[in-house]
Amino acid sequence: DIVMTQSPDSLAVSLGERATLNCKSSQSVFHSTDKKNYLAWYQQKPGQPPRLLIYWASTRESGVPDRFSGSGSGTDFTLTISSLQAEDVALYYCQQHQDIPITIGQGTRLEIK
Amino acid sequence: EVQLVESGGGLVQPGRSLRLSCTASGFTFGDYAMSWFRQAPGKGLEWVGIIRSKAYDERTDYAASLMGRFTIARDDSKSIAYLQMNSLIADDTAVYYCSREKTLTRARAFDIWGQGTVVTVSS
């Protein structure tokens, strides 16, 4: 199984500042035929289901604010929030779908400093 | 409106079975793969399994940790996906979510989620 490891486990950032969340996979999630990284990022707020933010490592889902961006390839990925807003307080998960089983990181809790 | 609604959760005794339903609306259900996830109290997300569309032979895959106790099925005529859970144990206690894969773009990500249904396994 591909193990997804997120860092840090929790992060406190001031409003308006940049937040950088990391995700590392134990094997590459790059699909050589499709030329895609099958890596997605989700945001989850208390009592709510996850919300898709980013797929293919860097493609923003429709309706997601452009302060959210994804980058990386192979085994190392980053979710960046360029200017933290109060509504961004949440848990963030990375998920790979390059291989079965689909695996998900343990999550990063993002808070306001 | 594109929507998924889970139902069928509740309190069940260890060793018993339960079937969850995920009713879809607002999109052509048969075109999409559907997946189930779960989240134990205070824990992270865990993938349960996936059922692909008829175009992909409705092929299913599951998390190995379930040891064959769970089965996913679909009824495209009713726009419903099912999660049959057998031999339930306390560790199966969780919120169960169904979700839609972005099949048409082959993104292998999950863009629509239900609100979840709570399953509690306890005597």
Side-chain angles (χ1 to χ4, degrees):
Chain A
D1 298 2
I2 298 177
V3 177
M4 308 299 291
T5 303
Q6 295 183 237
S7 62
D9 289 333
S10 63
L11 179 64
V13 174
S14 301
L15 289 172
E17 296 299 305
R18 178 186 300 263
T20 302
L21 289 68
N22 302 299
C23 174
K24 188 174 184 65
S25 58
S26 61
Q27 303 170 39
S28 174
V29 300
F30 180 76
H31 195 289
S32 56
T33 303
D34 297 347
K35 301 290 190 284
K36 300 288 189 186
N37 286 282
Y38 286 113
L39 188 285
W41 288 95
Y42 298 84
Q43 175 193 66
Q44 188 179 31
K45 297 180 179 180
Q48 297 185 18
R51 173 195 182 194
L52 177 63
L53 299 175
I54 302 286
Y55 59 95
W56 289 335
S58 60
T59 301
R60 198 179 303 113
E61 173 70 350
S62 175
V64 173
D66 61 7
R67 64 180 180 274
F68 290 90
S69 64
S71 62
S73 184
T75 62
D76 291 277
F77 300 90
T78 300
L79 174 70
T80 301
I81 307 171
S82 60
S83 177
L84 189 71
Q85 305 299 303
E87 62 265 32
D88 300 335
V89 170
L91 266 170
Y92 291 83
Y93 295 97
C94 62
Q95 168 239 310
Q96 70 79 24
H97 196 167
Q98 151 62 11
D99 197 11
I100 292 294
I102 294 169
T103 49
I104 304 167
Q106 82 279 13
T108 292
R109 185 177 302 278
L110 180 59
E111 301 170 332
I112 304 293
K113 184 187 290 185
Chain B
E1 180 190 6
V2 175
Q3 195 173 11
L4 298 173
V5 178
E6 301 95 338
S7 59
L11 175 64
V12 60
Q13 292 179 328
R16 304 298 292 266
S17 297
L18 201 63
R19 189 179 77 163
L20 307 183
S21 298
C22 170
T23 302
S25 58
F27 64 98
T28 305
F29 180 77
D31 287 346
Y32 292 85
M34 300 297 294
S35 198
W36 287 91
F37 292 80
R38 68 183 182 179
Q39 190 166 35
K43 303 296 185 183
L45 277 172
E46 179 185 16
W47 176 72
V48 171
I50 190 168
I51 185 165
R52 296 168 181 83
S53 65
K54 197 180 296 284
Y56 294 90
D57 299 324
E58 298 186 0
R59 195 174 79 249
T60 54
D61 282 298
Y62 302 95
S65 61
L66 300 174
M67 294 186 291
R69 298 182 296 118
F70 290 14
T71 303
I72 299 174
R74 64 189 299 154
D75 184 337
D76 290 351
S77 68
K78 296 180 179 178
S79 296
I80 299 177
Y82 300 99
L83 177 63
Q84 177 68 42
M85 304 185 293
N86 299 329
S87 303
L88 284 162
I89 60 177
D91 284 350
D92 295 322
T93 294
V95 177
Y96 284 75
Y97 295 103
C98 71
S99 62
R100 182 186 84 169
E101 187 196 52
K102 288 176 71 71
T103 304
L104 299 187
T105 55
R106 302 180 65 181
R108 300 193 189 181
F110 299 93
D111 61 345
I112 305 297
W113 294 70
Q115 287 298 311
T117 188
V118 177
V119 173
T120 303
V121 183
S122 175
S123 55

